[in-house]
Amino acid sequence: MSFTETTRARAREIIARYPADRSRSALLPLLHLVQSEEGYVSPAGVEFCAEVLGLNKAQVGAVATFYTMYKRKPTGDYLVSVCTNTMCDVLGGQKVYDTLAEHLGVGHEETTADGKITLEHAECLAACDYGPVMTVNYDFFDNVEPQAALDVVEELRAGGRPMPTRGARLCTLKEMAVQLAGFADERDGAVADGGPGEPSLRGLRLAEQHGVSVPGFDPKTPIRSKAEADRAAAEAKAKAEAEAAKPAPAPEPAAPEAASGSTAPDVKAPDDKSPQVRTAETRQPDASTPVPDAPGTKVPVDGPAPAPRDARAAEAAGVASNPPAGDGKPAGDAAGAQERNLKEAESGTGADGADPADASGTGVRK
């Protein structure tokens, strides 16, 4: 497919928003842009994005297949998404989806014959407090029931645009893709409707009821325009540069430090070292780091490695000064006691002179 000159001009505008060496960051809005013309990201759209960004098609395709908002096959004018995740499912979301699927005669990611509606079930639409929820081109219909969902899709198929519970008035998938690419919606009154949902306002009302507020916050503070914000930022930058240009004040003489009572020289750590680094150097110094507050301690100096003969002599001295342990007998099991018991057993008498064969336990010797 050959894209229109309007799309190519918009592509150049999108790329110009990013630094020259970061043009690859324009890929996401560019994919929305090609979807705004074709209704999905086709192989031609992938090739177009790769061409204008200097990428290969595999790199573009990897991004286009990762995000679910980029459709890889033709999609209807209205993408109807029904949340069937746990919370909405418990509240009836699966019943809403099943009702729509049966009525429209399509399944997940399938489009009606008139090209109007594409149905999908969504894992989560991030609106659990409004469940069950359904979106049309990502605009919310809250607390939806099966019949209400049928009424919405039938109005869409008839050419109408029902008002979402929250958000602006509906637009087609292609019109929405233009906005996601970073261009304003030029439709008359496109953002004039909509309002906040009741659960969203509940927290605000509770805060007002209990007097909870941010200290020093004035809700009537006007929101500055971009020009005003840029001007304030420029003034702050100029003020910071002026402060930086002022000469630094002369440092005050350091107060004499109290004597530590240590014979080792005091070592002052550089200011650019963190406390963790200073602690580590104190506990495990190297050859160039003296140990503070350690009387008589010398800075270790690497010397020559010991010769093998010296190492063997040291090992032999260690063995001689550390005799091997006993034969593993329990403590108190001396050889003398064992020999005495053995002799008594051979003579047929016990330690108290009793005959071991005397089962009466009287200890009377026969």
PDB file of all heavy atoms in Angstrom, residues 20-50:
ATOM      1  N   ALA A  20      17.801  13.706  17.096  1.00  0.00           N
ATOM      2  CA  ALA A  20      18.201  13.037  15.861  1.00  0.00           C
ATOM      3  C   ALA A  20      18.738  11.637  16.122  1.00  0.00           C
ATOM      4  O   ALA A  20      18.524  10.718  15.322  1.00  0.00           O
ATOM      5  CB  ALA A  20      19.243  13.878  15.132  1.00  0.00           C
ATOM      6  N   ASP A  21      19.430  11.452  17.243  1.00  0.00           N
ATOM      7  CA  ASP A  21      19.999  10.139  17.540  1.00  0.00           C
ATOM      8  C   ASP A  21      19.047   9.278  18.351  1.00  0.00           C
ATOM      9  O   ASP A  21      19.438   8.219  18.844  1.00  0.00           O
ATOM     10  CB  ASP A  21      21.328  10.291  18.283  1.00  0.00           C
ATOM     11  CG  ASP A  21      21.168  11.069  19.588  1.00  0.00           C
ATOM     12  OD1 ASP A  21      20.151  11.768  19.727  1.00  0.00           O
ATOM     13  OD2 ASP A  21      22.064  10.968  20.450  1.00  0.00           O
ATOM     14  N   ARG A  22      17.792   9.726  18.520  1.00  0.00           N
ATOM     15  CA  ARG A  22      16.797   8.957  19.251  1.00  0.00           C
ATOM     16  C   ARG A  22      15.513   8.811  18.434  1.00  0.00           C
ATOM     17  O   ARG A  22      14.432   8.673  18.975  1.00  0.00           O
ATOM     18  CB  ARG A  22      16.477   9.641  20.587  1.00  0.00           C
ATOM     19  CG  ARG A  22      17.628   9.712  21.557  1.00  0.00           C
ATOM     20  CD  ARG A  22      17.979   8.330  22.092  1.00  0.00           C
ATOM     21  NE  ARG A  22      19.007   8.393  23.131  1.00  0.00           N
ATOM     22  CZ  ARG A  22      20.301   8.330  22.891  1.00  0.00           C
ATOM     23  NH1 ARG A  22      20.731   8.187  21.627  1.00  0.00           N
ATOM     24  NH2 ARG A  22      21.180   8.395  23.879  1.00  0.00           N
ATOM     25  N   SER A  23      15.632   8.832  17.121  1.00  0.00           N
ATOM     26  CA  SER A  23      14.442   8.780  16.271  1.00  0.00           C
ATOM     27  C   SER A  23      13.684   7.466  16.428  1.00  0.00           C
ATOM     28  O   SER A  23      12.485   7.382  16.144  1.00  0.00           O
ATOM     29  CB  SER A  23      14.824   8.976  14.806  1.00  0.00           C
ATOM     30  OG  SER A  23      15.712   7.953  14.377  1.00  0.00           O
ATOM     31  N   ARG A  24      14.365   6.431  16.900  1.00  0.00           N
ATOM     32  CA  ARG A  24      13.690   5.147  17.086  1.00  0.00           C
ATOM     33  C   ARG A  24      12.557   5.256  18.103  1.00  0.00           C
ATOM     34  O   ARG A  24      11.610   4.459  18.086  1.00  0.00           O
ATOM     35  CB  ARG A  24      14.714   4.105  17.542  1.00  0.00           C
ATOM     36  CG  ARG A  24      14.154   2.709  17.700  1.00  0.00           C
ATOM     37  CD  ARG A  24      15.258   1.708  17.953  1.00  0.00           C
ATOM     38  NE  ARG A  24      14.743   0.366  18.095  1.00  0.00           N
ATOM     39  CZ  ARG A  24      15.482  -0.724  18.031  1.00  0.00           C
ATOM     40  NH1 ARG A  24      16.778  -0.620  17.814  1.00  0.00           N
ATOM     41  NH2 ARG A  24      14.952  -1.911  18.176  1.00  0.00           N
ATOM     42  N   SER A  25      12.631   6.229  18.993  1.00  0.00           N
ATOM     43  CA  SER A  25      11.575   6.422  19.983  1.00  0.00           C
ATOM     44  C   SER A  25      10.247   6.804  19.339  1.00  0.00           C
ATOM     45  O   SER A  25       9.205   6.732  19.991  1.00  0.00           O
ATOM     46  CB  SER A  25      11.992   7.504  20.988  1.00  0.00           C
ATOM     47  OG  SER A  25      13.183   7.155  21.661  1.00  0.00           O
ATOM     48  N   ALA A  26      10.259   7.195  18.084  1.00  0.00           N
ATOM     49  CA  ALA A  26       9.032   7.582  17.391  1.00  0.00           C
ATOM     50  C   ALA A  26       8.239   6.379  16.885  1.00  0.00           C
ATOM     51  O   ALA A  26       7.170   6.554  16.289  1.00  0.00           O
ATOM     52  CB  ALA A  26       9.365   8.495  16.211  1.00  0.00           C
ATOM     53  N   LEU A  27       8.728   5.170  17.125  1.00  0.00           N
ATOM     54  CA  LEU A  27       8.085   3.994  16.543  1.00  0.00           C
ATOM     55  C   LEU A  27       6.657   3.804  17.044  1.00  0.00           C
ATOM     56  O   LEU A  27       5.754   3.498  16.250  1.00  0.00           O
ATOM     57  CB  LEU A  27       8.926   2.747  16.841  1.00  0.00           C
ATOM     58  CG  LEU A  27       8.348   1.420  16.320  1.00  0.00           C
ATOM     59  CD1 LEU A  27       8.085   1.496  14.827  1.00  0.00           C
ATOM     60  CD2 LEU A  27       9.284   0.268  16.649  1.00  0.00           C
ATOM     61  N   LEU A  28       6.410   3.969  18.346  1.00  0.00           N
ATOM     62  CA  LEU A  28       5.057   3.730  18.873  1.00  0.00           C
ATOM     63  C   LEU A  28       4.020   4.660  18.234  1.00  0.00           C
ATOM     64  O   LEU A  28       2.992   4.190  17.746  1.00  0.00           O
ATOM     65  CB  LEU A  28       5.057   3.856  20.392  1.00  0.00           C
ATOM     66  CG  LEU A  28       5.881   2.816  21.158  1.00  0.00           C
ATOM     67  CD1 LEU A  28       5.778   3.061  22.666  1.00  0.00           C
ATOM     68  CD2 LEU A  28       5.437   1.413  20.834  1.00  0.00           C
ATOM     69  N   PRO A  29       4.238   5.984  18.234  1.00  0.00           N
ATOM     70  CA  PRO A  29       3.237   6.830  17.563  1.00  0.00           C
ATOM     71  C   PRO A  29       3.157   6.575  16.062  1.00  0.00           C
ATOM     72  O   PRO A  29       2.077   6.733  15.470  1.00  0.00           O
ATOM     73  CB  PRO A  29       3.707   8.255  17.868  1.00  0.00           C
ATOM     74  CG  PRO A  29       5.121   8.139  18.296  1.00  0.00           C
ATOM     75  CD  PRO A  29       5.265   6.798  18.923  1.00  0.00           C
ATOM     76  N   LEU A  30       4.245   6.171  15.436  1.00  0.00           N
ATOM     77  CA  LEU A  30       4.183   5.870  14.007  1.00  0.00           C
ATOM     78  C   LEU A  30       3.299   4.662  13.728  1.00  0.00           C
ATOM     79  O   LEU A  30       2.569   4.618  12.718  1.00  0.00           O
ATOM     80  CB  LEU A  30       5.584   5.635  13.450  1.00  0.00           C
ATOM     81  CG  LEU A  30       6.426   6.880  13.169  1.00  0.00           C
ATOM     82  CD1 LEU A  30       7.828   6.492  12.736  1.00  0.00           C
ATOM     83  CD2 LEU A  30       5.769   7.748  12.099  1.00  0.00           C
ATOM     84  N   LEU A  31       3.336   3.670  14.604  1.00  0.00           N
ATOM     85  CA  LEU A  31       2.464   2.514  14.421  1.00  0.00           C
ATOM     86  C   LEU A  31       0.999   2.913  14.563  1.00  0.00           C
ATOM     87  O   LEU A  31       0.130   2.407  13.837  1.00  0.00           O
ATOM     88  CB  LEU A  31       2.827   1.423  15.428  1.00  0.00           C
ATOM     89  CG  LEU A  31       4.134   0.677  15.153  1.00  0.00           C
ATOM     90  CD1 LEU A  31       4.526  -0.186  16.349  1.00  0.00           C
ATOM     91  CD2 LEU A  31       4.025  -0.184  13.898  1.00  0.00           C
ATOM     92  N   HIS A  32       0.696   3.803  15.499  1.00  0.00           N
ATOM     93  CA  HIS A  32      -0.670   4.324  15.590  1.00  0.00           C
ATOM     94  C   HIS A  32      -1.038   5.095  14.323  1.00  0.00           C
ATOM     95  O   HIS A  32      -2.187   5.040  13.869  1.00  0.00           O
ATOM     96  CB  HIS A  32      -0.814   5.232  16.809  1.00  0.00           C
ATOM     97  CG  HIS A  32      -0.874   4.500  18.112  1.00  0.00           C
ATOM     98  ND1 HIS A  32      -1.860   3.589  18.401  1.00  0.00           N
ATOM     99  CD2 HIS A  32      -0.069   4.557  19.202  1.00  0.00           C
ATOM    100  CE1 HIS A  32      -1.664   3.104  19.624  1.00  0.00           C
ATOM    101  NE2 HIS A  32      -0.591   3.673  20.130  1.00  0.00           N
ATOM    102  N   LEU A  33      -0.070   5.791  13.763  1.00  0.00           N
ATOM    103  CA  LEU A  33      -0.337   6.584  12.560  1.00  0.00           C
ATOM    104  C   LEU A  33      -0.724   5.696  11.385  1.00  0.00           C
ATOM    105  O   LEU A  33      -1.709   5.977  10.687  1.00  0.00           O
ATOM    106  CB  LEU A  33       0.891   7.429  12.213  1.00  0.00           C
ATOM    107  CG  LEU A  33       0.751   8.334  10.978  1.00  0.00           C
ATOM    108  CD1 LEU A  33      -0.285   9.421  11.233  1.00  0.00           C
ATOM    109  CD2 LEU A  33       2.093   8.963  10.618  1.00  0.00           C
ATOM    110  N   VAL A  34       0.032   4.627  11.142  1.00  0.00           N
ATOM    111  CA  VAL A  34      -0.317   3.754  10.017  1.00  0.00           C
ATOM    112  C   VAL A  34      -1.636   3.032  10.295  1.00  0.00           C
ATOM    113  O   VAL A  34      -2.400   2.743   9.367  1.00  0.00           O
ATOM    114  CB  VAL A  34       0.816   2.752   9.717  1.00  0.00           C
ATOM    115  CG1 VAL A  34       2.080   3.484   9.303  1.00  0.00           C
ATOM    116  CG2 VAL A  34       1.094   1.840  10.902  1.00  0.00           C
ATOM    117  N   GLN A  35      -1.934   2.762  11.571  1.00  0.00           N
ATOM    118  CA  GLN A  35      -3.208   2.135  11.900  1.00  0.00           C
ATOM    119  C   GLN A  35      -4.366   3.094  11.653  1.00  0.00           C
ATOM    120  O   GLN A  35      -5.479   2.664  11.341  1.00  0.00           O
ATOM    121  CB  GLN A  35      -3.187   1.676  13.357  1.00  0.00           C
ATOM    122  CG  GLN A  35      -4.406   0.865  13.768  1.00  0.00           C
ATOM    123  CD  GLN A  35      -4.170   0.056  15.039  1.00  0.00           C
ATOM    124  OE1 GLN A  35      -3.655  -1.035  14.987  1.00  0.00           O
ATOM    125  NE2 GLN A  35      -4.570   0.611  16.168  1.00  0.00           N
ATOM    126  N   SER A  36      -4.112   4.402  11.760  1.00  0.00           N
ATOM    127  CA  SER A  36      -5.168   5.382  11.504  1.00  0.00           C
ATOM    128  C   SER A  36      -5.558   5.432  10.035  1.00  0.00           C
ATOM    129  O   SER A  36      -6.660   5.865   9.704  1.00  0.00           O
ATOM    130  CB  SER A  36      -4.709   6.774  11.968  1.00  0.00           C
ATOM    131  OG  SER A  36      -3.727   7.302  11.087  1.00  0.00           O
ATOM    132  N   GLU A  37      -4.675   4.989   9.158  1.00  0.00           N
ATOM    133  CA  GLU A  37      -4.996   5.000   7.733  1.00  0.00           C
ATOM    134  C   GLU A  37      -5.575   3.673   7.265  1.00  0.00           C
ATOM    135  O   GLU A  37      -6.495   3.651   6.443  1.00  0.00           O
ATOM    136  CB  GLU A  37      -3.754   5.332   6.897  1.00  0.00           C
ATOM    137  CG  GLU A  37      -4.057   5.443   5.412  1.00  0.00           C
ATOM    138  CD  GLU A  37      -2.970   6.175   4.643  1.00  0.00           C
ATOM    139  OE1 GLU A  37      -2.208   6.937   5.256  1.00  0.00           O
ATOM    140  OE2 GLU A  37      -2.886   5.970   3.422  1.00  0.00           O
ATOM    141  N   GLU A  38      -5.075   2.572   7.794  1.00  0.00           N
ATOM    142  CA  GLU A  38      -5.521   1.266   7.316  1.00  0.00           C
ATOM    143  C   GLU A  38      -6.499   0.570   8.250  1.00  0.00           C
ATOM    144  O   GLU A  38      -7.139  -0.400   7.857  1.00  0.00           O
ATOM    145  CB  GLU A  38      -4.313   0.346   7.116  1.00  0.00           C
ATOM    146  CG  GLU A  38      -3.323   0.819   6.069  1.00  0.00           C
ATOM    147  CD  GLU A  38      -2.223  -0.198   5.852  1.00  0.00           C
ATOM    148  OE1 GLU A  38      -1.285  -0.229   6.669  1.00  0.00           O
ATOM    149  OE2 GLU A  38      -2.309  -0.965   4.871  1.00  0.00           O
ATOM    150  N   GLY A  39      -6.583   1.029   9.504  1.00  0.00           N
ATOM    151  CA  GLY A  39      -7.441   0.344  10.456  1.00  0.00           C
ATOM    152  C   GLY A  39      -6.740  -0.782  11.178  1.00  0.00           C
ATOM    153  O   GLY A  39      -7.314  -1.408  12.073  1.00  0.00           O
ATOM    154  N   TYR A  40      -5.518  -1.068  10.817  1.00  0.00           N
ATOM    155  CA  TYR A  40      -4.685  -2.073  11.486  1.00  0.00           C
ATOM    156  C   TYR A  40      -3.254  -1.868  11.010  1.00  0.00           C
ATOM    157  O   TYR A  40      -2.993  -1.065  10.096  1.00  0.00           O
ATOM    158  CB  TYR A  40      -5.174  -3.488  11.195  1.00  0.00           C
ATOM    159  CG  TYR A  40      -4.924  -3.995   9.786  1.00  0.00           C
ATOM    160  CD1 TYR A  40      -4.034  -5.040   9.550  1.00  0.00           C
ATOM    161  CD2 TYR A  40      -5.579  -3.438   8.687  1.00  0.00           C
ATOM    162  CE1 TYR A  40      -3.800  -5.525   8.271  1.00  0.00           C
ATOM    163  CE2 TYR A  40      -5.361  -3.907   7.404  1.00  0.00           C
ATOM    164  CZ  TYR A  40      -4.475  -4.951   7.199  1.00  0.00           C
ATOM    165  OH  TYR A  40      -4.246  -5.413   5.926  1.00  0.00           O
ATOM    166  N   VAL A  41      -2.307  -2.574  11.646  1.00  0.00           N
ATOM    167  CA  VAL A  41      -0.907  -2.473  11.238  1.00  0.00           C
ATOM    168  C   VAL A  41      -0.629  -3.601  10.265  1.00  0.00           C
ATOM    169  O   VAL A  41      -0.421  -4.755  10.662  1.00  0.00           O
ATOM    170  CB  VAL A  41       0.033  -2.553  12.465  1.00  0.00           C
ATOM    171  CG1 VAL A  41       1.482  -2.476  12.019  1.00  0.00           C
ATOM    172  CG2 VAL A  41      -0.276  -1.432  13.450  1.00  0.00           C
ATOM    173  N   SER A  42      -0.638  -3.279   9.006  1.00  0.00           N
ATOM    174  CA  SER A  42      -0.442  -4.274   7.944  1.00  0.00           C
ATOM    175  C   SER A  42       1.048  -4.492   7.690  1.00  0.00           C
ATOM    176  O   SER A  42       1.894  -3.737   8.185  1.00  0.00           O
ATOM    177  CB  SER A  42      -1.109  -3.777   6.667  1.00  0.00           C
ATOM    178  OG  SER A  42      -0.412  -2.623   6.186  1.00  0.00           O
ATOM    179  N   PRO A  43       1.412  -5.510   6.910  1.00  0.00           N
ATOM    180  CA  PRO A  43       2.818  -5.659   6.521  1.00  0.00           C
ATOM    181  C   PRO A  43       3.364  -4.415   5.826  1.00  0.00           C
ATOM    182  O   PRO A  43       4.531  -4.052   6.013  1.00  0.00           O
ATOM    183  CB  PRO A  43       2.790  -6.870   5.585  1.00  0.00           C
ATOM    184  CG  PRO A  43       1.615  -7.674   6.051  1.00  0.00           C
ATOM    185  CD  PRO A  43       0.602  -6.665   6.485  1.00  0.00           C
ATOM    186  N   ALA A  44       2.495  -3.732   5.050  1.00  0.00           N
ATOM    187  CA  ALA A  44       2.935  -2.490   4.413  1.00  0.00           C
ATOM    188  C   ALA A  44       3.207  -1.410   5.457  1.00  0.00           C
ATOM    189  O   ALA A  44       4.137  -0.603   5.311  1.00  0.00           O
ATOM    190  CB  ALA A  44       1.876  -2.011   3.420  1.00  0.00           C
ATOM    191  N   GLY A  45       2.390  -1.382   6.514  1.00  0.00           N
ATOM    192  CA  GLY A  45       2.626  -0.414   7.585  1.00  0.00           C
ATOM    193  C   GLY A  45       3.915  -0.682   8.321  1.00  0.00           C
ATOM    194  O   GLY A  45       4.643   0.254   8.690  1.00  0.00           O
ATOM    195  N   VAL A  46       4.221  -1.954   8.565  1.00  0.00           N
ATOM    196  CA  VAL A  46       5.490  -2.312   9.202  1.00  0.00           C
ATOM    197  C   VAL A  46       6.651  -1.866   8.327  1.00  0.00           C
ATOM    198  O   VAL A  46       7.645  -1.297   8.808  1.00  0.00           O
ATOM    199  CB  VAL A  46       5.536  -3.833   9.456  1.00  0.00           C
ATOM    200  CG1 VAL A  46       6.935  -4.259   9.897  1.00  0.00           C
ATOM    201  CG2 VAL A  46       4.504  -4.223  10.513  1.00  0.00           C
ATOM    202  N   GLU A  47       6.527  -2.107   7.012  1.00  0.00           N
ATOM    203  CA  GLU A  47       7.598  -1.717   6.082  1.00  0.00           C
ATOM    204  C   GLU A  47       7.761  -0.202   6.044  1.00  0.00           C
ATOM    205  O   GLU A  47       8.887   0.312   5.989  1.00  0.00           O
ATOM    206  CB  GLU A  47       7.282  -2.257   4.697  1.00  0.00           C
ATOM    207  CG  GLU A  47       8.371  -1.994   3.669  1.00  0.00           C
ATOM    208  CD  GLU A  47       8.059  -2.616   2.326  1.00  0.00           C
ATOM    209  OE1 GLU A  47       7.000  -3.260   2.194  1.00  0.00           O
ATOM    210  OE2 GLU A  47       8.881  -2.464   1.393  1.00  0.00           O
ATOM    211  N   PHE A  48       6.649   0.532   6.112  1.00  0.00           N
ATOM    212  CA  PHE A  48       6.702   1.991   6.087  1.00  0.00           C
ATOM    213  C   PHE A  48       7.448   2.519   7.318  1.00  0.00           C
ATOM    214  O   PHE A  48       8.326   3.378   7.208  1.00  0.00           O
ATOM    215  CB  PHE A  48       5.291   2.558   6.027  1.00  0.00           C
ATOM    216  CG  PHE A  48       5.207   4.049   6.164  1.00  0.00           C
ATOM    217  CD1 PHE A  48       5.493   4.886   5.099  1.00  0.00           C
ATOM    218  CD2 PHE A  48       4.849   4.633   7.379  1.00  0.00           C
ATOM    219  CE1 PHE A  48       5.423   6.271   5.228  1.00  0.00           C
ATOM    220  CE2 PHE A  48       4.775   6.004   7.522  1.00  0.00           C
ATOM    221  CZ  PHE A  48       5.058   6.829   6.437  1.00  0.00           C
ATOM    222  N   CYS A  49       7.100   2.004   8.496  1.00  0.00           N
ATOM    223  CA  CYS A  49       7.767   2.448   9.728  1.00  0.00           C
ATOM    224  C   CYS A  49       9.257   2.121   9.686  1.00  0.00           C
ATOM    225  O   CYS A  49      10.099   2.928  10.111  1.00  0.00           O
ATOM    226  CB  CYS A  49       7.112   1.811  10.939  1.00  0.00           C
ATOM    227  SG  CYS A  49       5.417   2.352  11.263  1.00  0.00           S
ATOM    228  N   ALA A  50       9.589   0.944   9.183  1.00  0.00           N
ATOM    229  CA  ALA A  50      10.999   0.563   9.088  1.00  0.00           C
ATOM    230  C   ALA A  50      11.750   1.487   8.136  1.00  0.00           C
ATOM    231  O   ALA A  50      12.896   1.880   8.399  1.00  0.00           O
ATOM    232  CB  ALA A  50      11.110  -0.890   8.626  1.00  0.00           C
TER     233      ALA A  50
END
